[in-house]
Amino acid sequence: SIHLCTDQLLLALADPGQIASLSWHAADPAQSYLADKAVGVPENYGGAEEVMALHPDLVLAGAYSGRETKTLLRRLGVKVLDFDLPRSFADIRRQTMTAAEALGHPERGRALVTEMDAKLATAARKVAGLPAATALLYQQGGVTMGKGFLEDEILRAAGLANVATKLGIAGQGTVSIENLIAAKPDLIVLGVEPDAPPSLSAAMLDNRALVRATHARRVRLPPILWTCGAWFTAEAVERLVEAR
């Protein structure tokens, strides 16, 4: 694997002996959901030369893996499976099964999908009949996600209407503090780790005007649960349901 998100698929689905190498992010607990399983596994920096030296039968790559690396590997006869960032739970199901079948363990893929769907079904039962509520996922720099992104589906799975969509944002966009205050969401979902390094873009999440002018509940949703959309993203939905 030469991408953080495909690291997760490989660690969850493959036998240890099938894993020749993982990306250098795989063992970082701040970024990798399965960091503990990656400890001790050889790492790579996504270069074609270092990958070829391992003589892999299959390379799992992601949306932000080097295009030149993927092109060269294919030209040299290496099978490369390219996974885009999932935009829905349907995409997560499809990608999980694609990886599981390629690795020869379809039953493991089905187990992960079943686990995810069970959590989503439980979440849906818990929010059924609750009063309508709105939420905005707010990240450093005021970045948010509207219709067409996985983050929007996560909010809707928790029974929350996405304020970003109401503001006309399709895909990724930004919302100023003033517009956020005016929108009056019931829940502000802060997409940043509690122990993230200090920065000006992160400081705006704790802006005094924002804190004083809104009565919304603020909840932190660790990016590790949703930046790599996978079966464990159902945990993000569970946390939002709990916050409701």
Side-chain angles (χ1 to χ4, degrees), residues 1-240:
S1 167
I2 59 173
H3 188 270
L4 172 65
C5 296
T6 52
D7 291 338
Q8 312 308 306
L9 290 171
L10 193 54
L11 286 166
L13 297 167
D15 291 332
Q18 289 181 283
I19 303 176
S21 179
L22 298 166
S23 86
W24 64 286
H25 298 292
D28 182 356
Q31 300 185 69
S32 175
Y33 183 82
L34 295 177
D36 57 330
K37 294 185 67 174
V39 175
V41 178
E43 62 182 32
N44 69 76
Y45 289 85
E49 296 87 351
E50 58 181 332
V51 172
M52 285 303 299
L54 296 167
H55 305 290
D57 301 302
L58 174 68
V59 172
L60 303 186
Y64 298 110
S65 301
R67 183 178 300 176
E68 296 83 1
T69 295
K70 292 185 287 188
T71 298
L72 184 55
L73 289 175
R74 289 188 173 112
R75 190 178 299 165
L76 293 171
V78 178
K79 182 178 180 181
V80 178
L81 272 183
D82 216 345
F83 293 83
D84 201 355
L85 292 177
R87 294 175 178 266
S88 65
F89 286 107
D91 285 349
I92 291 174
R93 295 183 190 97
R94 176 179 54 78
Q95 290 188 3
T96 301
M97 289 310 304
T98 296
E101 289 165 4
L103 293 166
H105 304 293
E107 74 289 348
R108 296 177 187 174
R110 287 192 291 270
L112 290 180
V113 170
T114 298
E115 175 189 327
M116 179 184 78
D117 286 342
K119 290 181 178 179
L120 293 177
T122 298
R125 286 194 296 270
K126 287 183 177 180
V127 300
L130 291 181
T134 60
L136 181 76
L137 174 64
Y138 211 48
Q139 302 177 79
Q140 297 184 36
V143 173
T144 190
M145 305 295 183
K147 187 176 182 180
F149 268 54
L150 178 61
E151 291 83 352
D152 178 64
E153 187 154 322
I154 291 170
L155 293 178
R156 289 190 286 110
L160 296 161
N162 189 354
V163 171
T165 301
K166 291 187 174 183
L167 293 175
I169 295 174
Q172 181 173 303
T174 58
V175 176
S176 68
I177 290 177
E178 294 84 355
N179 285 337
L180 174 53
I181 291 171
K184 297 181 180 178
D186 298 307
L187 192 68
I188 298 176
V189 183
L190 301 177
V192 62
E193 295 285 357
D195 56 352
S199 67
L200 291 176
S201 60
M204 68 179 294
L205 302 178
D206 296 312
N207 182 282
R208 290 185 180 182
L210 179 62
V211 173
R212 292 175 179 176
T214 61
H215 299 289
R217 177 166 184 180
R218 296 155 62 88
V219 58
R220 292 187 183 272
L221 192 64
I224 197 172
L225 294 177
W226 47 271
T227 50
C228 282
W231 72 96
F232 50 77
T233 300
E235 291 183 29
V237 176
E238 289 179 322
R239 293 198 185 197
L240 292 179

